[in-house]
Amino acid sequence: MLVSAKEMLQKAKAGKYAVGQFNINNLEWTKAILLTAEELRSPVILGVSEGAGKYMCGYKTVVGMVNGMLEELNITVPVALHLDHGSYEGAKACIEAGFSSIMFDGSHFDIEENVAKTKELVAICEEKGMSIEAEVGSIGGEEDGVVGMGECADPQECKKIADLGVSMLAAGIGNIHGKYPENWAGLSFETLDAIQQLPGDMPLVLHGGTGIPTDMIKKAISLGVAKINVNTECQLSFAAATREYIEAGKDQQGKGYDPRKLLAPGTEAIKATVKEKMEIFGSIGKADE
Ligand code: 13P
């Protein structure tokens, strides 16, 4: 059964480790992440962006697929199904469809509107026993070929949103989605420290987990980050393994064109990436604590 991310993140924050949110795109992604989490006895969060939700034929399809896998693969570790960077409408659709967690990204609204919409969604989630993530300070990334360097959130605004009763808070600390440019200045630990001192024991979320050096990840965890989102890195490892398979001509040997064979190296590569991240995040074995 899917669970809210609230309890797993409170435990992670208290235990000074982080739970990975790995974004899913299809059946292979979901299966690879769930099997790895189960094997390593790690709690896990499956992230679904609105685009990925559309690609997978809608939120109800995603809920059906994930619930089916939890049962058929005998998954016993805590798993949350979480909307990533949801709009107000998307958040409501996922609540309806049976997700166990949502992110409402109101970071592009002014702070008053972000507060009003977040507040309304917090009330709905509380009633349904779901977790909700809010965001302050937009997280940069590549948009139309322009790479934003990642904003730093205003700690006072973070407190305003945290006080609404959200389960976890994403704050921009110079992190960006996708690959980091060579001239990236790194995470702003000064901002992170200021934020973690304000909202008490709120689990903080670090987006853009791909390509952040291990020492920075560990320092971020020591400063209150309890959830780390990873998407691009699984895509890169899947693509590299698939490329290698095809470039070696394996799709043309025997029944190598069978999708179950063609997609197998990529699926294994996702497993390896997820394992590597769970080791760094310190979540291995934590499902049983
Ligand atoms: P990356 O694609 O950079 O790993 O970021 C993932 C993310 O933050 C999803 O919200």
Side-chain angles (χ1 to χ4, degrees):
M1 208 183 68
L2 288 168
V3 297
S4 147
K6 190 172 176 170
E7 197 192 333
M8 63 170 97
L9 294 183
Q10 281 175 348
K11 273 194 196 165
K13 170 113 187 183
K16 293 237 175 274
Y17 62 93
V19 177
Q21 173 194 305
F22 299 95
N23 285 49
I24 59 172
N25 291 286
N26 62 12
L27 180 139
E28 280 73 19
W29 245 261
T30 314
K31 179 175 159 180
I33 296 163
L34 288 178
L35 287 174
T36 307
E38 182 69 19
E39 186 194 324
L40 302 177
R41 303 301 306 158
S42 169
V44 75
I45 299 169
L46 301 176
V48 179
S49 68
E50 295 202 351
K54 257 190 213 140
Y55 176 78
M56 290 185 275
C57 309
Y59 300 128
K60 287 183 188 161
T61 312
V62 176
V63 169
M65 174 178 72
V66 173
N67 278 332
M69 276 193 205
L70 294 184
E71 191 181 329
E72 303 272 2
L73 298 174
N74 296 315
I75 304 295
T76 57
V77 295
V79 178
L81 179 59
H82 177 76
L83 171 66
D84 189 27
H85 291 285
S87 62
Y88 178 75
E89 295 75 23
K92 287 201 160 171
C94 286
I95 293 170
E96 276 297 299
F99 276 52
S100 63
S101 186
I102 55 158
M103 172 183 189
F104 168 60
D105 181 354
S107 62
H108 50 285
F109 292 123
D110 61 40
I111 187 71
E112 279 72 34
E113 193 162 357
N114 193 355
V115 165
K117 290 200 159 70
T118 302
K119 202 169 167 179
E120 187 193 331
L121 291 166
V122 163
I124 302 175
C125 288
E126 235 165 52
E127 192 194 313
K128 302 221 175 228
M130 295 172 65
S131 43
I132 174 166
E133 174 178 342
E135 178 174 326
V136 180
S138 81
I139 288 143
E142 193 177 324
E143 220 169 47
D144 297 332
V146 181
V147 179
M149 290 311 259
E151 246 177 56
C152 283
D154 172 348
Q156 292 305 331
E157 290 191 356
C158 289
K159 176 151 176 57
K160 248 191 187 165
I161 297 281
D163 286 349
L164 299 175
V166 299
S167 329
M168 58 272 206
L169 183 72
I173 54 165
N175 44 331
I176 63 173
H177 293 121
K179 290 184 187 173
Y180 284 86
E182 267 174 35
N183 59 347
W184 178 52
L187 297 177
S188 168
F189 292 112
E190 215 178 300
T191 310
L192 181 56
D193 193 31
I195 294 165
Q196 70 132 6
Q197 291 189 18
L198 287 170
D201 57 359
M202 172 67 54
L204 300 174
V205 184
L206 181 62
H207 280 248
T210 297
I212 300 179
T214 302
D215 57 330
M216 284 195 201
I217 295 272
K218 295 207 161 147
K219 186 156 182 197
I221 293 172
S222 77
L223 291 172
V225 164
K227 172 174 179 280
I228 303 177
N229 293 5
V230 178
N231 182 16
T232 307
E233 206 152 328
C234 290
Q235 298 186 6
L236 291 169
S237 50
F238 177 86
T242 308
R243 169 183 289 273
E244 197 180 312
Y245 180 88
I246 293 178
E247 281 185 348
K250 291 191 181 158
D251 58 315
Q252 293 171 328
Q253 295 162 16
K255 282 201 173 185
Y257 53 81
D258 177 340
R260 286 177 253 164
K261 293 198 169 71
L262 182 66
L263 299 178
T267 307
E268 289 304 311
I270 295 172
K271 284 187 184 167
T273 299
V274 171
K275 182 175 182 191
E276 193 186 301
K277 295 295 163 193
M278 286 176 166
E279 278 165 358
I280 298 170
F281 299 167
S283 68
I284 294 176
K286 302 295 185 187
D288 303 310
E289 284 181 8

